[in-house]
Amino acid sequence: MNNIEKKQINNLIEISKQLRIDVVNIIHGAKSGHIGGSLGLADIFTALYFHVLNHNSNDPNWADRDRFVVSNGHVAPIYYTALAHSGYFPVSELSSLRKLRSRLQGHPNSLELPGVEISTGSLGQGLGVACGMALIAQKDKEDHLVYCSIGDGETQEGSIWEAAMFAGHRELSNLIAFTDRNYIQIDGNTEEINKLEPLAEKWKAFNWNVLSANGNDMEEILNAFEKAKKENSKPTMIIFNTKLGFPVSFMDGVSKWHGTAPNDKEAKSAIKEIEEYYLKLNL
Amino acid sequence: MKYIQENIFNNPKMLPTRDGFGKALVKLGEINEKIIVLTTDVAGSVRANWFAEKFPKRFFDLGIAEQNMISVATGISLENKIPFATTFGVFITGRVWDQIRVLVSYSQTNVKLVATHTGVTVGEDGATHQILEDIALMRVLPNMTVIVPSDFNETKKAIFAAADFKGPIYIRLGRQKAPLITTDDAPFEIGKSQKLRDGNDVTIVACGVLVYEALLAAEKLNKLGISARVLNMHTIKPLDVDSLLEAAKTTGAIVTAEEHQIAGGLGSAVAEVLSQQNPVPIEMIGINDEFGISGTSDQLLTYYGLRSDNIVGSVKKVLKRKR
Ligand SMILES: Cc1ncc(C[n+]2csc(CCOP(=O)(O)OP(=O)(O)O)c2C)c(N)n1
């Protein structure tokens, strides 16, 4: 791959391991929280915060930063671990997740926590916010990009498609959104609850540039973002195929793990599986 | 007839109101073919899954699309069925308010709206999920009936009453386990409050989770020589004006208590009536123009001053203002 060396990729993979372990520990400590999406998105959030995004944790409001809106706010645990490890606040604060008077609210609060662009948690609202940011960057000829994370279940919200139509119409080529395509929502499989497929075709029909990649493979993730950055006439949607709870096998495909905290035993075996997975990668 | 469970102060039975909803739905499903249940990707959390297991053909999960749920429920109601649309309080009020306004309230359709996960007792999920404005949002709508049951038993009765009732109705429930206060025998009638305890010095008007705290407060006040009446104002709209006026006349001072913004909620509804018809001093317990935060249900009730001790404090204050 161009520009990104193997060593760099391995370094990112190492970081994603730490984020995953922290995610398990803080949700276990909080006794509640959304573990499945958080683990499944760990590779993508690592790629964003440690390679893709142009940002500066010492100056969270730096005007030229790339914006990143987390529309699926329930994945706060991976968001917070990525922010903490990139210096927005002390890593030691992670253990306060969901506790009384913590800055780490159950869903992200932009007034409390540096690095959070906007409060989310009510699904379907973030993509429109990203559109607003991208619109102004386009109008003012600013170079920064706007990224946005959405869930696949979240995509059932009508407001997602209002934003989709808007971005396509306005040719917001500075907007790079991605879908956490794990096929799981709270009540089960997205295709059984309220079918999303053909998902790529839907986005194409709304005049988006559509890419797809394995969202649990660092090299594929980085390549997808590289490609998206080169697009210059349409907004890009990257459909990242992920697994809920990856790489924890007992969470794979089990919707209960969308939002259940692991007990002591489950947390232990989750961490064991995570460690074994990274060991096997043989970095 | 006994309205109140025994031992509620020492060792109350703890049951979530959402469980009462789930149980009542199953019962209703058995006796009424017209009952249809709709939800949006939270079937288990709102306990609609119990109905879904028994009556899969009358249950519809619309995915994460709340606005569409209200529109679809309206269509179903026009086909002479009785749709219960249910999801978390935030998403069945604020998110869909205009759909409710036009299709349900303005059109007076027979749609039943049931909110679980309301108030700060939602807990760790935090502000985005702790609706504190739903009573206001719903009671301001013409033709809307608004009910806030105080416990599991009352919830069951409210759900049965809603199915029999013709027209739009909003029922506010909670996620967390709450003390079982009322007995099976306690009567429930939409628009008719329950006098759970009589008293002459002051009346505490409460709804939902705060009814238990009001009873606790009355007990504590009794020890201080203050005789407090407790009204369980489970129907916020239409408000039980008669009982309220009688309470104002006899006790001459009112304290309201709710797990909701003071602005627009039960306290406001009570003040709207009394200020015009018999202006006695009122103190209001509720959320004071702020959002919720993460924490446990118990921590947050204390943090936001929604405890019996806070009610006792407000009673002392209101008695000083009493003429
Ligand atoms: C508007 C709105 N409706 C419902 C919810 C409750 N809720 C939180 S997460 C979720 C499921 C999301 O599914 P998906 O986007 O696929 O996320 P994943 O389970 O993959 O993390 C639901 C229904 C919400 N937060 N906001």
Side-chain angles (χ1 to χ4, degrees):
Chain A
M1 74 187 302
N2 43 358
N3 299 333
I4 314 166
E5 287 172 28
K6 193 83 199 147
K7 215 176 99 197
Q8 250 181 314
I9 293 176
N10 286 351
N11 185 30
L12 289 170
I13 295 174
E14 283 290 354
I15 296 172
S16 72
K17 174 184 171 188
Q18 188 57 50
L19 299 195
R20 282 196 160 95
I21 290 172
D22 284 358
V23 161
V24 174
N25 282 331
I26 65 176
I27 294 176
H28 174 236
K31 298 197 182 75
S32 70
H34 298 83
I35 193 162
S38 290
L39 287 176
L41 284 168
D43 305 296
I44 298 164
F45 273 61
T46 303
L48 282 168
Y49 277 93
F50 297 90
H51 186 83
V52 177
L53 290 177
N54 193 14
H55 70 125
N56 178 0
S57 58
N58 293 320
D59 188 5
N61 297 321
W62 172 41
D64 294 333
R65 74 191 181 282
D66 288 338
R67 276 64 166 165
F68 178 35
V69 176
V70 180
S71 189
N72 49 343
H74 61 276
V75 300
I78 186 62
Y79 193 10
Y80 297 159
T81 27
L83 286 171
H85 282 279
S86 40
Y88 284 89
F89 57 88
V91 170
S92 60
E93 207 174 320
L94 285 173
S95 60
S96 73
L97 177 72
R98 292 178 159 246
K99 304 221 165 102
L100 193 68
R101 294 193 182 84
S102 168
R103 295 197 285 179
L104 308 193
Q105 290 291 298
H107 293 78
N109 178 319
S110 54
L111 297 179
E112 298 262 344
L113 204 61
V116 174
E117 297 280 1
I118 184 69
S119 299
T120 51
S122 187
L123 296 170
Q125 300 182 356
L127 186 60
V129 175
C131 285
M133 294 168 150
L135 182 73
I136 292 306
Q138 182 195 56
K139 176 179 102 55
D140 293 348
K141 301 193 167 52
E142 301 284 351
D143 288 334
H144 62 260
L145 298 175
V146 182
Y147 294 80
C148 180
S149 163
I150 65 176
D152 53 357
E154 180 183 13
T155 304
Q156 293 162 347
E157 284 286 0
S159 51
I160 289 292
W161 298 103
E162 295 179 23
M165 193 181 295
F166 175 84
H169 176 68
R170 297 277 166 183
E171 300 175 358
L172 300 177
S173 60
N174 54 356
L175 174 63
I176 301 174
F178 62 88
T179 303
D180 178 22
R181 188 66 171 123
N182 57 19
Y183 284 84
I184 297 295
Q185 58 187 110
I186 296 180
D187 284 348
N189 187 297
T190 57
E191 302 315 283
E192 282 158 28
I193 305 284
N194 200 17
K195 230 194 272 33
L196 293 167
E197 293 300 329
L199 187 58
E201 283 73 8
K202 283 190 175 72
W203 287 100
K204 279 179 201 152
F206 278 75
N207 295 314
W208 284 55
N209 168 41
V210 182
L211 306 172
S212 90
N214 180 351
N216 295 126
D217 180 306
M218 192 57 74
E219 198 168 333
E220 283 203 28
I221 294 167
L222 297 172
N223 278 330
F225 279 122
E226 277 314 308
K227 249 195 228 157
K229 283 186 189 179
K230 294 202 180 97
E231 169 63 39
N232 54 26
S233 66
K234 292 174 177 179
T236 292
M237 167 53 69
I238 308 173
I239 298 176
F240 278 126
N241 295 302
T242 62
K243 285 187 169 163
L244 190 83
F246 189 82
V248 179
S249 60
F250 63 85
M251 295 185 188
D252 185 11
V254 183
S255 58
K256 168 191 151 181
W257 290 109
H258 154 84
T260 308
N263 62 26
D264 294 352
K265 222 180 106 202
E266 289 160 343
K268 236 172 130 182
S269 56
I271 288 183
K272 193 164 155 254
E273 280 201 43
I274 290 169
E275 278 169 347
E276 284 168 3
Y277 166 76
Y278 281 94
L279 212 62
K280 266 198 230 135
L281 290 183
N282 216 351
L283 302 179
Chain B
M1 212 168 9
K2 275 192 61 69
Y3 288 10
I4 301 190
Q5 296 276 344
E6 312 220 330
N7 259 333
I8 60 164
F9 298 127
N10 309 328
N11 190 17
K13 209 169 158 188
M14 301 293 284
L15 287 167
T17 49
R18 60 175 163 157
D19 283 16
F21 170 49
K23 291 251 154 76
L25 273 186
V26 171
K27 227 345 167 318
L28 270 178
E30 284 163 6
I31 60 179
N32 192 338
E33 282 277 310
K34 291 187 172 180
I35 303 292
I36 306 278
V37 176
L38 307 173
T39 193
T40 51
D41 196 33
V42 288
S45 302
V46 301
R47 306 296 192 240
N49 56 335
W50 300 340
F51 181 93
E53 280 155 25
K54 286 204 88 164
F55 310 102
K57 294 213 167 101
R58 286 192 271 149
F59 169 79
F60 300 93
D61 192 329
L62 286 84
I64 312 171
E66 295 83 5
Q67 297 177 68
N68 190 45
M69 174 165 69
I70 303 303
S71 301
V72 169
T74 301
I76 288 171
S77 77
L78 295 177
E79 299 300 331
N80 198 27
K81 304 283 186 201
I82 306 173
F84 276 79
T86 176
T87 180
F88 299 175
V90 196
F91 310 127
I92 200 161
T93 59
R95 185 56 166 255
V96 298
W97 193 79
D98 190 50
Q99 275 82 356
I100 293 177
R101 180 172 181 269
V102 175
L103 302 176
V104 181
S105 148
Y106 179 52
S107 306
Q108 295 196 45
T109 50
N110 198 23
V111 175
K112 316 300 172 189
L113 306 164
V114 181
T116 65
H117 297 61
T118 61
V120 292
T121 49
V122 165
E124 290 82 352
D125 272 345
T128 52
H129 287 52
Q130 297 167 351
I131 186 95
L132 296 167
E133 302 82 15
D134 56 313
I135 295 176
L137 285 172
M138 291 298 115
R139 95 178 171 85
V140 76
L141 291 170
N143 306 319
M144 186 62 77
T145 290
V146 179
I147 299 186
V148 186
S150 63
D151 70 359
F152 173 90
N153 278 341
E154 197 166 79
T155 299
K156 288 200 293 189
K157 294 171 199 168
I159 297 299
F160 292 136
D164 287 339
F165 178 86
K166 188 119 185 63
I169 191 162
Y170 173 71
I171 300 180
R172 177 193 223 228
L173 306 175
R175 178 190 78 94
Q176 84 298 349
K177 287 186 179 164
L180 190 68
I181 305 168
T182 59
T183 58
D184 280 330
D185 292 339
F188 178 87
E189 198 185 316
I190 294 173
K192 190 94 196 68
S193 65
Q194 285 171 338
K195 198 193 288 178
L196 292 182
R197 181 178 179 128
D198 208 355
N200 308 315
D201 298 330
V202 63
T203 300
I204 307 167
V205 182
C207 66
V209 178
L210 269 285
V211 172
Y212 183 72
E213 297 295 330
L215 287 169
L216 273 179
E219 195 72 8
K220 290 178 182 172
L221 288 163
N222 191 41
K223 293 194 180 114
L224 303 174
I226 298 167
S227 153
R229 178 181 295 191
V230 176
L231 286 187
N232 171 14
M233 196 60 79
H234 52 66
T235 307
I236 312 291
K237 188 181 180 179
L239 200 65
D240 184 355
V241 174
D242 292 345
S243 302
L244 201 56
L245 287 175
E246 206 276 315
K249 196 169 138 202
T250 327
T251 68
I254 305 281
V255 170
T256 62
E258 64 199 301
E259 190 195 5
H260 184 274
Q261 300 288 357
I262 287 171
L266 168 67
S268 302
V270 166
E272 284 161 17
V273 170
L274 293 183
S275 64
Q276 298 185 72
Q277 303 195 40
N278 183 7
V280 298
I282 304 175
E283 291 287 331
M284 297 181 193
I285 293 276
I287 306 291
N288 203 353
D289 201 24
E290 56 186 324
F291 283 102
I293 52 171
S294 291
T296 66
S297 303
D298 266 346
Q299 285 173 334
L300 295 175
L301 284 174
T302 305
Y303 182 89
Y304 285 101
L306 304 175
R307 292 297 195 183
S308 59
D309 285 342
N310 306 103
I311 298 176
V312 167
S314 289
V315 164
K316 289 180 183 164
K317 242 166 107 183
V318 86
L319 287 179
K320 280 198 196 122
R321 293 170 52 208
K322 189 171 156 180
R323 266 165 280 170

